[in-house]
Amino acid sequence: MMQFSEAAAIAEAVQAQTLSAETLVTQVLAEIERYDARLNCFTTVLAEAALADARQVDQAIAMGRSPGSLAGVPFAVKNLFDIQGQVTLAGAKINQVNLPASQDATAITRLKQAGAILVGALNMDEYAYGFVTVNSHYGATPNPHNLNHMSGGSSGGSAAAVAAGLVPLTLGSDTNGSIRVPASFCGIYGLKPTYGRLSRAGAYPFVASFDHVGPFGRTVRDIAMAYDVMQGPDERDPVCSGRSPDLAVPQLDRGIEGLRFAIADDHFARGLQPEAAAAVQQVAKALQVVQRITLPEAARARAAAYLITASEGSHLHLPRLRDRLMDFDPATRDRFVAGAMIPASWYLQAQRFRHWYRDRVRAIFQTVDVILAPTTPGVAPPLDQKTLTIDGQEVPLRPNVGLYTQPLSFIGLPIISVPIWLPETLPIGVQLIAAPYQETTLLRVAAYLEAAGVTTAPIAPLAALPA
């Protein structure tokens, strides 16, 4: 594997000219070619463009200019982000006939402006509607820590590529948990910022009223660096706020003194498998948390999120459902068809409830700064598993993996999933949840847990994979 596998270390070495960006990118491309046949993270590899960008970074440094805080850092993006000159697949066969994107997504542009180097696009559930990244068109992306298990979704390729050490940073999207679920299953950090904090311009939509974009990484500093450079208003995204950037990197060493914590109970304490319960307790012990709080009507919030997702998603795809129904992934098609039949009155009622629920949850943050909750009910299931057992009942796996993520993205709260490793099992995530625009607080807490050795994101042992 690469000598430098973290974004911060790469940028430092490239800036100091102890490592050339071109040499690093060449090595990254070689490792993608060697391992991705088994991992199936990448749907597009941009070798020629990446090497050209790397040479530009090296030339700028040789001339005494700084390319930016992410100088020479290779990154990749979920294939729903527009990449100039490439067709934006969004995990779909139908999109293959679309014209190539005329410009990069804003998030990509901002990472490139900071010196990062785009090396490719990554696999996902079709149209971001899933938690498994088992795609009938582009194949499944397995978990790098155990290829018989799921990577999660819908940003599974993004999470797996980081967990495997193929790239140190990736971008994903999160509507109902699509950053946090694969971060949990793959044992890495995944940040879903506040709704509207990072621009979604050039990211293929799913549910406009609660789509988010955010980064994956193997260290908190890497996540914070990517988050910092992507901030700022964007006229291309009408919900991207005009707030000034709130830089997280300088705050990572501030510790947790003075912060108030609580553990989410009720809905977030039901259906837990032993690993998930143990992970939450491990984080709670490290933070000395004993207080418990209830997010009112969280189960109804999840049901309302489902209704809005199904309604908005099916409406977006209605022309394709009429004209190219059989070209959809069957797992996606059936849910879009069902969503198209939801009465408008149900959708409106779900939106009214959403506003009520948002106000009640935000009131909790008058007395608590950070809430702990499980990210997923358990560790990554086997790739062929179809059901989960929750509270003694067998339920379909695909919709229920988001049991603890849906009631939160529904109201746009910032959340980071942090990775916990327990003996003799796959990794699992714990959600740190804060009030809107408190990403720096979450990253401070995540940095504290990382420094204490409570959370860690080791690279999967790819040397064991067949070449």
Side-chain angles (χ1 to χ4, degrees):
M1 296 305 294
M2 292 181 293
Q3 178 185 359
F4 297 93
S5 59
E6 297 171 6
I10 289 168
E12 183 179 343
V14 169
Q15 292 274 24
Q17 295 182 281
T18 58
L19 172 70
S20 82
E22 184 176 4
T23 297
L24 177 70
V25 168
T26 300
Q27 186 176 1
V28 166
L29 294 171
E31 294 204 344
I32 292 170
E33 184 176 2
R34 180 180 179 188
Y35 294 116
D36 198 56
R38 293 294 310 277
L39 294 171
N40 196 36
C41 297
F42 284 82
T43 52
T44 304
V45 177
L46 305 168
E48 186 176 337
L51 288 168
D53 289 346
R55 285 190 285 270
Q56 288 184 357
V57 167
D58 289 333
Q59 288 167 7
I61 292 171
M63 295 173 66
R65 301 196 310 267
S66 172
S69 60
L70 293 172
V73 174
F75 76 103
V77 300
K78 189 174 183 176
N79 71 28
L80 57 63
F81 286 89
D82 286 350
I83 300 170
Q84 185 176 16
Q86 300 292 320
V87 173
T88 305
L89 295 173
K93 172 184 177 181
I94 294 170
N95 282 29
Q96 291 173 0
V97 300
N98 291 354
L99 293 173
S102 61
Q103 64 183 114
D104 288 337
T106 295
I108 292 175
T109 296
R110 291 179 175 173
L111 288 169
K112 285 184 173 181
Q113 287 171 343
I117 298 168
L118 180 63
V119 299
L122 300 157
N123 198 21
M124 58 181 284
D125 288 294
E126 184 183 64
Y127 291 125
Y129 205 176
F131 287 126
V132 294
T133 310
V134 177
N135 187 307
S136 68
H137 313 303
Y138 304 105
T141 297
N143 194 311
H145 296 288
N146 185 324
L147 297 185
N148 296 316
H149 288 247
M150 295 175 182
S151 60
S154 60
S155 311
S158 300
V162 171
L166 297 180
V167 284
L169 282 176
T170 58
L171 294 184
S173 65
D174 190 309
T175 301
N176 288 297
S178 288
I179 288 174
R180 291 160 289 155
V181 166
S184 175
F185 285 173
C186 290
I188 60 172
Y189 297 91
L191 174 66
K192 185 199 79 63
T194 306
Y195 180 74
R197 188 77 202 223
L198 300 182
S199 173
R200 305 168 302 173
Y204 199 94
F206 176 25
V207 181
S209 63
F210 43 95
D211 285 344
H212 306 66
V213 301
F216 293 93
R218 289 184 39 258
T219 72
V220 177
R221 184 167 293 275
D222 287 359
I223 290 279
M225 290 173 70
Y227 166 71
D228 280 357
V229 303
M230 288 191 289
Q231 288 187 66
D234 182 11
E235 62 182 15
R236 294 176 61 203
D237 182 353
V239 305
C240 188
S241 75
R243 284 176 173 258
S244 299
D246 182 16
L247 299 183
V249 171
Q251 310 226 20
L252 294 182
D253 298 329
R254 286 184 54 194
I256 61 170
E257 187 175 353
L259 295 179
R260 302 162 297 175
F261 298 93
I263 304 168
D265 60 13
D266 190 53
H267 174 82
F268 297 92
R270 291 200 296 267
L272 284 176
Q273 295 175 11
E275 296 89 351
V280 172
Q281 285 305 310
Q282 189 165 308
V283 172
K285 181 179 179 181
L287 299 174
Q288 300 182 10
V289 185
V290 293
Q291 180 184 356
R292 293 183 175 271
I293 53 118
T294 298
L295 276 62
E297 302 288 357
R300 278 191 185 158
R302 181 170 173 252
Y306 170 78
L307 285 173
I308 294 170
T309 297
S311 296
E312 289 192 21
S314 62
H315 180 75
L316 175 69
H317 292 287
L318 206 52
R320 287 170 285 277
L321 290 169
R322 290 182 177 132
D323 298 337
R324 298 192 61 180
L325 181 65
M326 300 313 293
D327 288 334
F328 279 83
D329 184 321
T332 307
R333 178 191 65 220
D334 294 347
R335 284 176 292 161
F336 277 140
V337 169
M341 295 186 282
I342 292 174
S345 61
W346 292 13
Y347 174 82
L348 294 173
Q349 185 177 354
Q351 288 285 18
R352 285 194 294 270
F353 174 82
R354 179 188 183 192
H355 291 295
W356 177 90
Y357 178 69
R358 178 199 63 196
D359 292 343
R360 299 305 180 280
V361 173
R362 288 186 178 182
I364 292 172
F365 289 108
Q366 301 298 315
T367 56
V368 172
D369 297 303
V370 177
I371 299 171
L372 313 183
T375 304
T376 50
V379 300
L383 274 168
D384 59 356
Q385 186 170 318
K386 305 299 183 186
T387 63
L388 287 175
T389 301
I390 294 177
D391 277 349
Q393 293 188 329
E394 193 170 11
V395 296
L397 182 144
R398 281 178 181 257
N400 285 286
V401 171
L403 182 66
Y404 308 124
T405 55
Q406 278 185 291
L408 301 169
S409 46
F410 175 60
I411 51 173
L413 300 176
I415 306 164
I416 185 169
S417 181
V418 298
I420 300 295
W421 284 81
L422 302 166
E424 299 180 2
T425 187
L426 288 168
I428 191 166
V430 172
Q431 295 183 96
L432 308 179
I433 309 151
Y437 300 103
Q438 295 302 309
E439 285 87 352
T440 55
T441 298
L442 293 181
L443 291 163
R444 278 173 56 195
V445 177
Y448 173 86
L449 293 168
E450 182 182 40
V454 178
T455 65
T456 185
I459 294 176
L462 296 189
L465 290 180

